[in-house]
Amino acid sequence: MEGPELVNSLRQLVISFEPYLRNASSYEQAQEVLLNLEAHDENFHRYQFVSQLRAKIDESLGGLIEDEFERFSMSQGSDVASDQKTVVQKVTDQVLKSREFENLTHYLRTNVSQAAQTLQNNFEQEFGSGRHGPDFEDVRDKRHSNEMDANMSFSSSYPGSLMFMNQDQAQKLAEELDPHRSLEDRQCSLHTLCSLAPLDVVASDQWSDIRRGLLAALEDPDLNLATKSLKFIAQGFSTVTSQTKELYLLLVDYLVDLCKKNLSRLKNGVDVRKSEHIRIIRSFRLLNEFQLIVPSYWIRCPEILVEQVIESTLKLFSMQHVSTVASSVTNIPMTALHLMALIDPKAMWFNKWMHGSYSRIPLLQKLDGQKKIIENAVKHCLEFTASRKIPFDLMSDISDTLSRVSNSDGHRMHYTRHEMDYIYFIHSLNLLGKLLCHKEGRKFFPIKVKDISEPISITKFLCSLIQLIVDPGNLVTVKYNPVSQQFDPGILVTDMLKVLCIHHDVTILCKDEVTNTLLSPISHWLDDEDTGGHACPESAYLHIADILAQLAASSQGRQHLLYGEGQDRFTRTKSSAAHIIADFAKKAINYDLPGDFAAPPSTIVTGSFVYICRQLYNTCEGLLAMNAYELHTTLAEALNEVSRELDMASTPTPGSDSGSDIDDPKKLSIWSDTLKDNLLNFAATPKGVLLLQQTHTMPECVSYMYSRYRNKLQVSKCEKFGYGTMVSQLAATAAGMVALRQSGFIQSIINNTWTVLECGLDDSPVFHGKIWAVEPVYKDAHKQLINLLKVLTSYAAVYEVLHEQPLPSHENYTFRQMPNTVIELIDRLVFVDKDIKIHSLFNYEQSHVFGLRMFGIIMSCLDTFLLIQSQYKIQEMLLSCQEANSINDRDIILDMLSFERNYILVKTYLIGGPSERVIPPRSISEDSSVSFPYPLFSTYPVPREYVPNVAGRSAMKQVGDSLEVPSSPTFSSEENELSHFLHETKNSVYESDWMERCRKTFGHLLETKPEQAKGHVMQELLEKVLESATNKQDEMTFPLITYSDEPPGTDSSLRSFNLTPVQELGVKIAVRYGMHLKLLNSGSDASENLTHLLKQCGHYLQQQQRGGSYSTLRFLRTKTYPGFDWFASTIFLLMNGNLDRSWRFLYQFSMLIASGYLWLPRLHRSVHMPTGLMTSGILPVFSSTGHNVELVLQSEFPLIYSAFRMSGYNVAQICENWLRQCFWNYLDWMDIVHYICVCILMGIDYQVYMCVAILKHMQQDILQHLQEQDLIIFLKEEPLRGFRVGEHLNFMKQLEKKFRKTILSDMQNISKP
C-alpha cells in the first residue's frame, strides 16, 4: 500500500463518497455516514483500497493472531479468567497492545496521509469534470443499473437542505423551463427545482407554467434533462398529499403522449440499451412505485384525489396500438399494460388497489367505463390458451427464455415481442384473478370480446385457462430451471385458481363444467380413452390435485366435490367429482389403472389424490359419501406391502436390483409415511376411528402422529388445527387409548403436566420465578389439565389404564421422581394421604388441587366413578382427609383443598338433574354475607342442605297415594289425551296405523302438557309400544332367544352369576336415587330386586356373547359388561321397582334395534355383531350415534361444530357420556323418562336429534366457554339446565324430515360400520 497504486485505490474510494455527501444535510451527518460506510454501501468490500487494507492486515497480524489463539486454548484448562470477556475480546486486546500493531498503524497512517496529500494537491486534475479517468469509469459502469433505478425512484436521494422560493423566483424558474430556452438554462432550472420542496412548487401560482416546462423536459430528446424532471417528480412522491395528485397526473399525461408516439415502435420488443426505451421503462417504473405505496395513504386523501388518480391510470392503461398491417410477429395489439407488465408482471398494483374498499369501490366504478382493459386481458388470455394448441410454437419456450439474461450483472437488456406478450399474459392472469375474487368484480362477466361471437362467462373463461394444465396436446415438455418455473403457465393458472379457492366465496369454481374440465385427464385415464397419443405429464396431475385439495379445504368446495352442482346434501351420485377422485386414487394405489393410457402414476401423484380423498373422508358427510370405496382397507393393504418391501430393502439379497424407484428405501419410507398419514385422518370422525381400528394399523398410525407431534410439525398444508381432535376421538375408545399409551403420547402428557406443576427432568436454573398462582389451577396448569381430560373422559379409556391397577406403594418419594403412567400421576396428585407424599411435592396445595380437580371432572362419568370408588375407595380417602383438616374434630378448616374435597364428596354421593341436587361451589362467594353457605362434613350421608325436597313435584308423583300401579287404571282428574288414547285402543295395538296415531298423540301431549307425561301413563305407553313393535317383523332386528331363570335341571347358573364390584356399587346409587325421587318404597327390597334384575339381564346377554379371552383389550376380556347397566336401572325405577314388569320389558325390548343404542350392554361382545366390529370394542352409540350427531352439526350448526374442532374436543365423546348413563346427573327424572319414550316410540334416530337439540340449546354457552378455553370442563360437569324434551320436540321433528333417510338407515345397518 504505497505509491501510485495506493493513490489510485484511494481516489476510487473517495469518488464513491459522492452520493452520500450530496445526501448529507450537515457535516455531522456526512461524517456519521462515512464512518459507517460499510453498512450503507453494498460495494464496500469490492473497493481496491479495502481489499489492499485487508491483505496488509492479514500479512502483518495474521501470524500473531493465530499464536494468541493457540496460547489461550492451551492455557484455558488450567487458568480460567475471572472476568466474563470472550476469547475474541481477549485476543483482540493482546493484538492491540502488540508492537506489530503499532508498527502497522504507523505505516498505514504515513502512506495514506501521503496519498491523500497527493490527491489534495492535484484536486482539480483528479476530480474535475470529465477527468475522473478510467477508475471512475469502472465504478460508474458497475453502479450503472443501481443509479438508473435510483434516478427514477421517489425513494432516492432527496436534498437535506431546501431552499424556499418566492413568487419572483417561481416565475423565473417557469420562464427558464420554457422549451425555447437554452439547454443549459433548463438544466439549471431543473437543478434548482430539485433542491426545492416539490409540494411547495405545486402549490405556487406559477405551477401551471412550471408543469408545462416539466412536461416539455420529460419529452425532450436529451435524456439527462428528462431524468432530472423525473427525479423532481420522484421527490414529490416521497409524501402523499393532495398536491401529489398533480405530479402523478403530470407523469400520466407524459406517459399517455409517450405511448401514443412509441407503442407502434415497440412491435418488435423492448431494448433497454436504447435511450427512448430507457425513458419509457424509467417512467413506468416510477409510476408503478407510486401505485404500490399510495394505497397505504388512501384514507388520508380526499376522495377526489383517489378518483382522479384511478381515472387517469385507467385512461393510460386502456391505450393500445392496433396495426393496420398484418405483422409477422404477432397479431396481439400493443398496449400500455404490456409496458407495465415488464415492471410489475404479477399486477401487484391492482392487488393493492383492490385490497381496501376505499379504493376498490371507485376502481371498479371507473373500470366499468374502461372495460377495454378487461376485454383486452380476457381476449389475450383466451388467445394465448388457443395458441398453445399449436403443435410447435415459440410460445412454448417463452417461460424458459424469460429466465435468461443479456448481461453479466443479471439484468435483462432486451425483451422480444413474444416475451412481452407472455409477460402481459401473466399480468392479465393476475389482474383477472384478483377481479374474480370480489363479487362486484365478477359482475363484469359475461363480457363481450372482439372477434368472439358469444359473451365470455366466468365458467368458460376458467375452463379455457384450465386447458393450459390438462390438455395433453398443448403441453410441451421443457426442463425448467428453478428460476423459470415461476413463469410456467400451468403453475400460474394453478396459483390463480388456488387463490380463488382460498377466497371465502368459491361458488365460481363450484361448477360441474369447471371440475369436469379439471378432472378430464383422470376421467380419460379411468375410461382408457385415446387422447391422440399425448398423456399429461406428472406435473399436470400435481397441479390438478393442488387445486382440488384447496377446493376441498372449504365447506362449499367440499360439498360441491361430494354432490355436484345444484345437488342437495346427502344426494348420492356416482358422477360427482369425489367419486372420480376416489376411484382413481384406489386404482392408483392398487396399480389397477388401464396400462395402455400411460405409465402408472408415481407415489407422489397417487399421494396427492389420496390427500384430496382424505380431506373429504375426515368429515362425517365425506365419509358417508366415500365409504363404499373402502379406502381404509386399500390404504392399509398398501401400507402392509410397503412395510414388507422396507424389510426386504433393509436386508438386500444377492442379485437384487436396488436401482429402481420402487426399491429405493428412502422413497418407500416417504410413501409409508404418506399412507400412515392418510390412514390416521380416518380418526377425525367417530365412524372413521372404527374403520381405522378394523385395519389393525392404528398403533403404527398413532406412533407416526406422536412423532410429528413431538417434532411440532404441521398436520398438513390445508389443516387449520392440530392433532387435538384426533387424539380426543382416539381416546374415546379402548383400542385408541392402548395405541396412545404404547406410542408414548400419554407419558408425554403426564411428563409435561408434572413439569408444569412440580419440576422437569433437567436441573437447568430458573432465571425468572413463576408468577404466584391466583387461581387454584393457573393458566399453564390449565392447559395441561385440558390435555389430560381429552384422553381420560371416556370410560373405555379410563378402564384400559386403571382396571385392576393397584396404586403404587413406595416407602420413599423424591422431588425428582416423575410419574410416567396415569396410575402413578393419580398416586402423586390425588391420593396425597401420607406425610411422605405431601413432603415430596414442591407445591403441595396447587398440585393436590390440580389432581382433585382432574378427578372430579373425569368422575362426572358415573361408570368412571364406580370403577375408581370400587378399586381405590376415593370417598373414604376424602372423608378421612376432611376429618384430619378439622379443628377439635368439629369445624373443618375452609381452604381450597377442603372445598375441592367437599365438591367431589357431594357430587359423587348424590344423583340427580339440575333441580334434584345441590352441588356446592369450589370457592368462597364474594357477594354473599356468609363466606360459605354450605356445611362441610367428614361422614356420610351428606347434610340436608345439599338435598332439595322433590316429594311434592308433579313430575315425580305417580297415580294415587300408592307407588304400586293399579291393575286397572282409572281415569279421573289425572286423565289426559294420551292415557285416554291408550285406554281406547288397548285392543288395537297390532293395527298398522296404531303406532303413527300414538306418536301424534304423545308428541302433542309432550309439546303442550309435558308435566302430564309421567307415572303409569309412561309405563303403559312403553309396554303398548313394545307390544306393537315386536309384532312387526321389520321392527325386530335381533332374535329373541328363549330364556328361563331355571335352565334344565337347576337354577344354579343364574345364582352363580355374580355382579362385579362396579355393578354392586351402582345398585346402591340407583336405589338411593329412586328413594330420593320417591319412586321406591323400601330400599332393601329395591336393592334385592334390582340386583336380581341385573343378574337376569347379565345372564341373558351372556348367552349371546362371544368369549373375550382372545382380545388384548381389557374392556373386552371381562365376562360381563364392564360398566353399570344404567338403562336397566332406569327401566327399574320407571316401573317403580317392579321386578317382573321390568324384566318382561327388557326381555322383549332386546329384539328391537333401539336396544343396541339405548341399552349399551346389549351389544357388548354380541354374537349379533360381525367379528371385526365386535372385537373393536367400539359400541354403535359412539360410532353411529356420535358420528351422526357430528354430521348434523356440520350441516346445520357449523358454529357449534367449529367450536368443538377448535377446542380439540369432539362431539361424539360428550354425547357418549350422556347416553351411556341415560342422562343421569344431566337431566331431571321427568326428562330422562321422556327421552326413553321418544327414542322408542318416535324412532331410534331421535337419539341423534335429541343430542343435537341439546347442543343447540347450549350454543351460546358452548361459544362462551370456547373463548374461556374450558369447554370440555363445562360439558362434563354442568347439567343441562333449562332443557326440556317437550320444548324441543318440534325441532327434532324438523330434523327427522331432513335427515331420517340418511341417519335411520345408517343406525339400522348396525352390523356394518
Side-chain angles (χ1 to χ4, degrees), residues 39-63:
H40 296 87
D41 192 347
E42 62 181 6
N43 298 313
F44 177 79
H45 291 281
R46 300 178 184 176
Y47 295 132
Q48 186 178 359
F49 179 82
V50 177
S51 300
Q52 292 174 349
L53 181 62
R54 186 188 302 110
K56 189 64 178 178
I57 292 174
D58 291 340
E59 177 186 348
S60 304
L61 302 179

Side-chain angles (χ1 to χ4, degrees), residues 5 78 112 176 221 243 376 393 403 420 438 490 576 654-655 685 792 804 911 937 1000 1032 1073 1129 1211 1219 1234 1295:
E5 184 181 2
S78 58
V112 173
E176 290 178 351
Q243 285 81 16
N376 288 341
D393 188 65
S403 66
M420 292 188 65
H438 298 276
S576 67
T685 64
L792 291 176
E804 296 181 347
I911 300 293
F937 57 93
K1000 291 181 180 179
K1032 297 181 176 64
Y1073 184 39
S1129 300
V1211 179
L1219 301 174
H1234 292 171
L1295 292 179

Side-chain angles (χ1 to χ4, degrees), residues 69 76 81 90 135 151-152 372 391 432 468 727 806 943 1298:
F69 271 110
Q76 187 178 15
K90 293 180 179 180
D135 294 327
N151 286 335
M152 58 184 179
K372 187 184 296 183
L432 293 171
L468 294 174
V727 172
K1298 195 169 186 179

